[in-house]
Amino acid sequence: MARVGLVLGAGGIVGQAYHAGVLAALELDLGWDPRTADVIVGSSAGSVTGTALRLGVPARDLAAQAVQAPLTEEGAGVLELLGGGPPDLPPFEPRTVLRGWQLPSPTLLARIARRPWAFRPSVAALTLLPAGHVDITALAEILDGAVGESWPDGLWICTARRRDGKRVTFGRPASPPATLARAVAASCAIPGYFSPVEIGGVEYFDGGVHSPTNADVLRDEHLDVVVVVSPMSVRRGRAVTPDAPMRWSAHNRLEREVRRLEAAGTEVVRFEPGRRSLVAMGLNAMAADRSDRVIQAGFFEAGRHANRPAVAPILAKIATRPNRRALVA
């Protein structure tokens, strides 16, 4: 049996909806249950989706919840413990980033001096932002009450260390100890909006700071297939939307991560938004009123992509039944 990794990228509330649409298509069309992945890697929004899967929520229920459709008995109980839909968050206040900027830390300067070729100005700049005004740990208390000190096997949560932007992946062997609730909160702590989350005396924030996907953390896991769902990038790296530069950058970052996985002998299938999904997503990643459109667009785009000649043979290795779309075609 193939060993499978699932990578769920950053992307806010609309990113979670895109996850739900893609994963529901894989579940309904291929019979593949994303909960059975040997390792699930979540960054920011992906940490929320990955946690829900590992706690037992079927992919179809992730989609059903977002559009307020009936849930299965299996998923309803877990989602009730997790507090239902997206949280009601205060608006971003631009004045919060006008003061309180940090000086570069000695750790950041040492990293740059040691590996100047790996210096990424965007990551360094985000470490200097003032702390946000929204305490995300209050939202994490819901998850803490549901799971306590337990940590599901094979769930890796990607964060960035505030003092130097270094990626820290909680849940993998030799990672720093943390509760699942605080790790997820840290992974979702968007710099300048959410306050950094302290774990073991160290401040962490959004895993998307290092990479929107962080797929390359799996390069040493000897997996046969890795499925990547990347809400922040764009298929083929081309978009005509105002956020095209950001999506092009995320796509190129994912390209490099995929090459690292393929060099290790792992086959990779990635799902990135196409034109229809980009229209549904809009420009506000935290919009709570677009989920139904994003799920529908992601579902149909994923179904078409899964039938491409370069993709279908790889997905056949994890499918439990023939793709019904392929049979109709």
Side-chain angles (χ1 to χ4, degrees), residues 17-319:
Y18 184 72
H19 293 151
V22 171
L23 296 177
L26 294 177
E27 181 183 55
L28 294 174
D29 287 350
L30 302 178
W32 180 62
D33 186 343
R35 296 174 297 178
T36 65
D38 293 273
V39 185
I40 297 178
V41 175
S43 302
S44 197
S47 72
V48 178
T49 302
T51 297
L53 291 172
R54 271 297 190 251
L55 293 180
V57 180
R60 70 186 71 186
D61 279 348
L62 294 175
Q65 180 201 32
V67 298
Q68 298 183 330
L71 303 173
T72 66
E73 184 177 344
E74 186 178 17
V78 178
L79 289 171
E80 183 178 354
L81 286 174
L82 297 179
D88 184 19
L89 297 171
F92 173 69
E93 298 180 9
R95 60 186 174 87
T96 62
V97 298
L98 297 180
R99 60 180 181 272
W101 284 70
Q102 299 191 125
L103 293 172
S105 71
T107 310
L108 174 62
L109 296 175
R111 284 193 71 199
I112 295 171
R114 188 169 57 250
R115 300 184 65 204
W117 60 88
F119 173 64
R120 294 164 59 196
S122 59
V123 175
L126 288 171
T127 69
L128 309 182
L129 278 175
H133 65 289
V134 179
D135 182 6
I136 197 173
T137 57
L139 302 173
E141 289 177 0
I142 298 173
L143 179 59
D144 200 25
V147 301
E149 297 293 322
S150 63
W151 188 293
D153 290 337
L155 176 63
W156 294 6
I157 305 298
C158 294
T159 68
R161 197 165 58 194
R162 189 189 184 201
R163 66 173 181 252
D164 60 359
K166 179 180 173 59
R167 177 172 62 197
V168 177
T169 305
F170 292 100
R172 69 189 300 185
S175 64
T179 65
L180 179 58
R182 293 195 77 84
V184 171
S187 187
C188 295
I190 302 169
Y193 179 66
F194 290 116
S195 301
V197 176
E198 185 175 306
I199 300 174
V202 178
E203 290 186 332
Y204 299 90
F205 51 33
D206 197 320
V209 167
H210 180 85
S211 163
T213 41
N214 292 294
D216 55 338
V217 298
L218 292 174
R219 63 186 180 275
D220 296 324
E221 292 305 297
H222 307 292
L223 299 169
D224 299 298
V225 177
V226 167
V227 176
V228 181
V229 186
S230 177
M232 288 185 65
S233 59
V234 61
R235 188 179 305 156
R236 292 187 291 274
R238 298 193 296 271
V240 296
T241 51
D243 59 354
M246 179 275 292
R247 292 190 174 278
W248 173 83
S249 176
H251 173 83
N252 283 355
R253 182 78 188 173
L254 178 56
E255 285 273 352
R256 292 192 291 271
E257 294 171 2
V258 168
R259 286 197 293 269
R260 291 179 182 178
L261 289 170
E262 291 176 338
T266 299
E267 294 183 286
V268 182
V269 174
R270 47 185 157 158
F271 293 88
E272 301 173 274
R275 183 188 60 81
R276 183 171 179 176
S277 287
L278 293 179
V279 170
M281 286 175 158
L283 299 178
N284 179 10
M286 302 305 289
D289 60 349
R290 292 178 167 268
S291 293
D292 54 348
R293 287 169 283 174
V294 175
I295 287 171
Q296 184 181 61
F299 181 89
F300 286 111
E301 284 187 352
R304 288 194 297 272
H305 184 64
N307 281 315
R308 296 182 184 276
V311 173
I314 302 175
L315 290 178
K317 298 177 181 180
I318 66 174

